[in-house]
Amino acid sequence: MQDNKETPEQIRERLRQEELRSNPTGNMNDAFNRANRGNLSDLVGSLGWKGTGILILVIIIGFIIVSIFFK
């Protein structure tokens, strides 16, 4: 017999996902706050594919600017 009750971890994750969908700017703020604590998987997971792409572009552009000005 299967138990259909959610575990506390599943409830927390479901509530977190609902909050991320309903509040995208808070999502970005949460993602950067998680980055300050050093958890990269939470940062990338909470940003989504668009936010991750933007983050990668910013890193690449920053690298190019630094390499141009500090040769």
Side-chain angles (χ1 to χ4, degrees), residues 7 10 14-16 18 22 29 34 39 43-45 50 54 59 62 69:
T7 64
Q10 291 171 330
R14 181 177 48 81
L15 291 173
R16 186 177 76 86
E18 289 172 5
S22 66
N29 185 29
R34 285 188 192 117
N39 195 344
L43 170 66
V44 172
K50 290 178 188 174
I54 291 170
I59 291 171
F69 288 115

Side-chain angles (χ1 to χ4, degrees), residues 13-62:
E13 182 62 24
R14 181 177 48 81
L15 291 173
R16 186 177 76 86
Q17 291 296 326
E18 289 172 5
E19 177 65 26
L20 293 177
R21 279 186 232 111
S22 66
N23 190 1
T25 55
N27 174 23
M28 185 73 73
N29 185 29
D30 288 345
F32 286 116
N33 286 338
R34 285 188 192 117
N36 288 336
R37 287 178 277 197
N39 195 344
L40 184 59
S41 63
D42 278 344
L43 170 66
V44 172
S46 63
L47 281 176
W49 70 270
K50 290 178 188 174
T52 304
I54 291 170
L55 182 63
I56 291 170
L57 283 175
V58 167
I59 291 171
I60 291 171
I61 291 170

